[in-house]
Amino acid sequence: METDDFRALLTWFRELADEIRNTGTPAEITSGLACVHHRLAEVTKDCDIWIPPTSLAAFKHRVLTRQWQGNRAVYRSALSVPLDARWLNGGWSAHIVWEGRPKAQVDVFGRMPRILQHSGGDLYSDEETLARVKMTRREKDWPTVHALGERLITKGDPKGLLFLQKAESLFAAKEKFSREQWAKQAKDRPLLDCFDGAIQVTMLAAHLRTEQTFWRQVDHHRMETYREAGKNYAKAAHKILNTLRTFAEQDLSLTKLAEELLPTHPLQDKADSLIGAASEDALANVDQSRFNSSWLPIEWAKATLCPT
C-alpha cells in the first residue's frame, strides 16, 4: 500500500521527467519505478531515469533549480560520475539525492544496460525495454523479466520469447507463434533451438537456469569492470563529497577529477574476455553432453557490451 509520502515522491519524480520532456528532449523513467508503473512492484527507493547524453544540459539546469521538501540536490555516491556526456555515454551513471523524508534519489543513465539502441518513447519504459534492463546479476530481478515476457506474449509480441524463464511457459508459447517467428527470436536466444528435439520440461528448466546464470555473470563481470575502473576515482570523490556542500561545487570538482582518473569507456575492447568469463562460470558445473554451449546467447550478450 502506498503511503502519502511515497505517493508525493512518485508525483515529484514524474513531474521532474515531464519537465525535461517539455523542453523537447527525451527523458524516460526505467527500472524499479517503471515496475511500479506497470504494477510489477509496489514500492521503490529511487528513480532511474534515462537522459540522452546530448541533452544533459537541460537536465543539469533542473537539478540545480529543483527542490524536494525544501532541499537542494547533491551527489550521493562516490561512484557517481558528473552529469557529463563523456562518461554517461560510456555506460557510467550519475547518482543524485535531495534530502528529505523520504529522500528523493535519482540515478541518471545515458545508456541503459543491455539496451542496444534507444530513442525514447513514453514517460516510462515499455515492457521490452524494461525486461532487458532487469536482466541483472540479481536473482530477484528475474521473475520480473519473466513476467514482462509473459505480458509481451499475451499481446502477441514474439519478442516475449526472449525473456520467458519458465519451461512450462515456453512450451505454451510454442503454440502461439509461427515457425518463422520462433526462428527469428532464436537468432538472439539460441536456446529456443533446443525445441527441435524431444526435450522434457525438467531438462528445459535446467537449461534455462544455465542460460540465466550466464546472463547474471555477464552483468557481474560488467559491473566489476566499472568498479575496478572507478576505484581510484571513488576514493578521491568521497573526500570531495564530504567537503563540498553544493551541487555546483561538487559537479565542477568531480568533473576535474574524472578527467584525471576515470576512463570514459571501461568496456572498450573487453567484450570478448567478459563473455568468455561468463560462459566459463555458467558451464562450470553443467553436463555439456546435455547442454550445447552454442545455446548460450553469446552474440546477443556481446552486443550489449558494445552498444553502437
Side-chain angles (χ1 to χ4, degrees):
M1 183 71 70
E2 292 181 1
T3 65
D4 289 341
D5 287 341
F6 180 60
R7 282 193 291 268
L9 183 58
L10 291 185
T11 299
W12 190 87
F13 285 143
R14 286 195 297 267
E15 289 175 348
L16 174 63
D18 275 332
E19 287 174 8
I20 300 301
R21 291 164 64 88
N22 289 339
T23 68
T25 187
E28 183 176 308
I29 294 173
T30 190
S31 198
L33 194 51
C35 287
V36 173
H37 170 75
H38 288 290
R39 301 188 181 279
L40 293 166
E42 292 186 357
V43 67
T44 185
K45 294 181 180 179
D46 51 28
C47 174
D48 291 345
I49 187 167
W50 169 76
I51 306 285
T54 55
S55 301
L56 288 171
F59 182 74
K60 186 180 289 191
H61 174 72
R62 295 294 169 184
V63 171
L64 285 166
T65 57
R66 224 172 191 277
Q67 296 186 34
W68 162 247
Q69 296 181 350
N71 297 289
R72 294 190 178 276
V74 292
Y75 284 101
R76 70 176 177 89
S77 167
L79 262 179
S80 173
V81 301
L83 284 176
D84 189 298
R86 288 171 289 180
W87 290 277
L88 289 180
N89 197 44
W92 294 96
S93 53
H95 309 287
I96 302 164
V97 63
W98 288 256
E99 293 293 338
R101 296 187 177 182
K103 297 178 180 180
Q105 299 183 157
V106 175
D107 295 338
V108 184
F109 295 83
R111 288 187 181 274
M112 288 190 280
R114 291 164 294 281
I115 304 300
L116 305 185
Q117 294 180 331
H118 197 63
S119 58
D122 294 333
L123 179 60
Y124 295 93
S125 291
D126 60 26
E127 284 97 339
E128 181 189 344
T129 300
L130 187 54
R132 294 177 187 269
V133 168
K134 298 299 283 184
M135 294 169 68
T136 74
R137 59 182 175 178
R138 301 182 303 184
E139 185 176 2
K140 68 178 184 178
D141 283 335
W142 285 87
T144 300
V145 175
H146 175 78
L148 289 160
E150 290 274 26
R151 290 193 180 190
L152 290 167
I153 296 295
T154 299
K155 292 180 177 181
D157 188 341
K159 287 186 178 178
L161 295 171
L162 298 174
F163 309 114
L164 296 180
Q165 299 298 306
K166 296 180 181 179
E168 296 86 353
S169 297
L170 271 172
F171 275 105
K174 191 74 167 70
E175 308 302 319
K176 298 181 179 181
F177 298 101
S178 68
R179 184 185 298 271
E180 292 74 21
Q181 289 173 313
W182 190 273
K184 183 176 180 179
Q185 303 311 314
K187 291 180 180 179
D188 280 337
R189 191 181 193 183
L191 185 60
L192 296 176
D193 285 335
C194 76
F195 275 82
D196 290 343
I199 190 168
Q200 302 297 314
V201 171
T202 54
M203 184 58 68
L204 179 58
H207 293 347
L208 286 166
R209 288 193 294 272
T210 299
E211 182 195 54
Q212 186 183 121
T213 298
F214 168 75
W215 275 117
R216 290 174 61 189
Q217 289 304 114
V218 169
D219 192 46
H220 167 74
H221 290 294
R222 180 185 72 88
M223 294 291 290
E224 284 299 298
T225 300
Y226 279 98
R227 185 193 65 79
E228 184 64 25
K231 185 166 55 176
N232 292 332
Y233 169 87
K235 290 179 182 178
H238 183 73
K239 296 178 182 178
I240 289 173
L241 299 186
N242 283 339
T243 303
L244 302 178
R245 298 303 179 188
T246 71
F247 180 85
E249 291 174 325
Q250 292 176 344
D251 186 67
L252 180 62
S253 292
L254 289 179
T255 300
K256 292 179 179 178
L257 183 66
E259 289 173 340
E260 179 183 352
L261 295 177
L262 201 62
T264 56
H265 291 73
L267 298 182
Q268 188 170 358
D269 301 324
K270 294 183 179 178
D272 286 337
S273 62
L274 297 185
I275 296 300
S279 299
E280 289 183 11
D281 295 339
L283 298 174
N285 298 308
V286 172
D287 181 353
Q288 294 188 47
S289 69
R290 297 193 174 205
F291 184 90
N292 189 328
S293 61
S294 68
W295 290 339
L296 292 177
I298 299 293
E299 295 305 317
W300 177 11
K302 190 179 296 183
T304 69
L305 300 177
C306 304
T308 56

